[in-house]
Amino acid sequence: MQLQHLLGIEPLQPQQINEILDLADQYADRNRTSSRNSEVLAGCTQINMFFENSTRTQASFEIAGKRLGADVMNIAMQASSIKKGETLVDTALTLNAMHPDLLVVRHPHSGAVDLLAQKVNCAVLNAGDGRHEHPTQALLDALTIRRSKGRLHRLNIAICGDIAHSRVARSNLILLGKMENRIRLIGPATLMPAGISGFGAEVFHNMEEGLKDVDVVMMLRLQRERMDGGFIPSEREYYHRYGLNAAKLSNAKPDAIVMHPGPMNRGVEIDGDIADDLSRSVIQEQVEMGVAVRMAAMEILMRNRRQNLEEAQR
C-alpha cells in the first residue's frame, strides 16, 4: 500500500480502505488496554496545522501521534505568521526546512491541503479542507459501522442534513459507495449539492420516506460558517422537518444505529434523547474510533516514507 499522502478517499481502492480499517481495528482493541502506547513512530516529527477550529479531530490526531511515540507539535495558526501576511506556500516551505515527517492539515479552502502536499518533502494528511474531503472522518465512520454491524457492504445508509456544505458527506459518499452500500441523501433541496444526480445516491426530501428500513442513520449539522444566504426558513422549522427524533427514527430498522460526526446542535438536527440513547447512538464510539483510525493512517504513511527513504539511500 504505497500511499505517500492521505488527501482524500477518492484515490483509494477498496483493498486499501480495508487495510487501513483492519489495522485501525487492532488499534481500537489495543486502545482499550493499559498497553496502548508504542514506539511505531519513534523519531518521527508530526506537526498539526489547523487553520479552522477543531476539538475532536485535532485532539485525536495529537493523542494518536503520542500513542505511537511521535514528537507532536501543534501550531496555533491564529498566532502564526499567516496573520502577518505569509502565504500558505511560504508557511509550508518554512516548515519543510525543519524536516518534519508528517503534516496534519485542516484548512477552510478546498484544495489547500493538496497544494501543500506538492510543496513539501514529508507525508501530508488531510484533516478536512473546505467542502472537499475529510478522509479520516469517513474511515472512522466506516470502522464504527463495521464494528457495529459486522460488515461494511450491502447496507442501507442514510446521510441526512446539510449535504451541500459537508466534506464529511462527500468523503462518506465516496467510501460507502466503493464498499457497495446503498446510500440515501435526505434534506431540503436548498442543502443538496449541484449535480446531485451524479453522486450515485437516492435523494429524499421527506425524512420519514428516506429513513424507511435503513440500517444506519448519519446526521449532519448545519454548516453555517460555509453558508452565504438563507438556506432554511428557521432552525425551528428545520428541526420539525429534518431533525432526528424518536418518531422519525421509528421508520428505520429496529436495530438501526445513529451517527453524528460532531459537533452536535441538539434540538436542531438531532434530539438530545436520541443522541444519548446508548442502545441506538454510536456517536461516542465514533470519537473512540477516530483515534484508532488516525493511528493506523499515520503508521501506514510513515512506514511508506521510511521505505522510500531507505530505497533512495541505496
Side-chain angles (χ1 to χ4, degrees):
M1 186 175 180
Q2 294 303 310
L3 283 180
Q4 182 180 359
H5 309 292
L6 181 56
L7 304 178
I9 297 297
E10 204 157 12
L12 300 181
Q13 299 301 315
Q15 181 180 348
Q16 295 174 304
I17 292 170
N18 280 324
E19 182 176 338
I20 296 172
L21 296 182
D22 288 345
L23 181 56
D25 210 19
Q26 297 176 37
Y27 275 125
D29 291 336
R30 181 171 178 171
N31 284 341
R32 293 180 176 180
T33 71
S34 58
S35 58
R36 51 184 172 263
N37 292 341
S38 73
E39 296 299 315
V40 172
L41 296 192
C44 292
T45 300
Q46 169 189 340
I47 300 179
N48 296 333
M49 301 169 59
F50 279 67
F51 294 83
E52 287 184 317
N53 293 332
S54 172
T55 301
R56 277 154 294 276
T57 304
Q58 183 168 358
S60 65
F61 268 114
E62 182 175 359
I63 291 171
K66 289 180 176 178
R67 284 188 181 169
L68 293 174
D71 297 317
V72 182
M73 175 185 177
N74 293 306
I75 297 182
M77 300 313 299
Q78 294 83 355
S80 72
S81 292
I82 290 284
K83 290 296 183 181
K84 301 176 182 177
E86 185 174 68
T87 67
L88 178 64
V89 171
D90 283 334
T91 297
L93 294 175
T94 298
L95 294 174
N96 193 54
M98 301 178 190
H99 302 292
D101 298 286
L102 175 67
L103 292 183
V104 177
V105 186
R106 168 169 286 191
H107 200 278
H109 298 143
S110 302
V113 181
D114 181 67
L115 175 64
L116 269 174
Q118 298 173 33
K119 302 296 182 181
V120 298
N121 298 323
C122 63
V124 176
L125 207 159
N126 184 0
D129 63 327
R131 302 181 190 180
H132 177 229
E133 279 220 47
H134 194 348
T136 56
Q137 180 67 48
L139 287 163
L140 75 88
D141 289 342
L143 183 60
T144 304
I145 293 170
R146 195 173 81 167
R147 288 171 70 98
S148 297
K149 291 296 181 182
R151 69 185 196 276
L152 189 60
H153 64 281
R154 297 180 182 175
L155 293 167
N156 291 321
I157 300 173
I159 304 176
C160 315
D162 186 358
I163 311 294
H165 302 96
S166 176
R167 56 194 174 208
V168 173
R170 176 175 169 80
S171 287
N172 269 300
L173 268 167
I174 297 169
L175 189 153
L176 296 171
K178 287 176 183 283
M179 306 309 286
E180 301 179 357
N181 295 284
R182 185 177 177 182
I183 306 165
R184 303 177 185 181
L185 302 179
I186 306 173
T190 54
L191 293 179
M192 290 292 169
I196 191 66
S197 58
F199 280 66
E202 296 178 271
V203 177
F204 293 84
H205 302 304
N206 180 282
M207 191 82 162
E208 287 78 3
E209 291 178 11
L211 291 181
K212 186 172 177 56
D213 295 328
V214 299
D215 300 286
V216 178
V217 182
M218 186 180 297
M219 302 305 299
L220 302 173
R221 72 179 177 87
L222 292 172
Q223 307 247 332
R224 293 200 174 278
E225 70 274 20
R226 304 189 203 286
M227 296 181 184
D228 53 3
F231 287 82
I232 60 171
S234 67
E235 288 187 352
R236 182 177 180 180
E237 175 66 18
Y238 181 83
Y239 178 71
H240 174 70
R241 295 192 62 189
Y242 297 104
L244 185 66
N245 56 22
K248 295 188 184 79
L249 184 58
S250 67
N251 292 279
K253 288 183 179 178
D255 63 346
I257 59 173
V258 175
M259 308 180 74
H260 195 302
M264 284 187 293
N265 293 303
R266 294 169 182 256
V268 179
E269 74 269 3
I270 190 168
D271 182 84
D273 290 339
I274 297 296
D276 298 332
D277 182 357
L278 297 183
S279 68
R280 307 297 293 274
S281 171
V282 293
I283 295 171
Q284 293 307 310
E285 282 85 347
Q286 288 176 266
V287 178
E288 180 185 5
M289 293 307 113
V291 177
V293 157
R294 283 151 187 153
M295 291 173 75
M298 290 193 292
E299 178 183 334
I300 290 170
L301 289 178
M302 289 302 94
R303 185 194 306 159
N304 294 342
R305 173 172 167 77
R306 285 168 171 166
Q307 182 178 337
N308 292 335
L309 289 173
E310 289 172 3
E311 290 176 355
Q313 291 171 359
R314 288 173 188 164

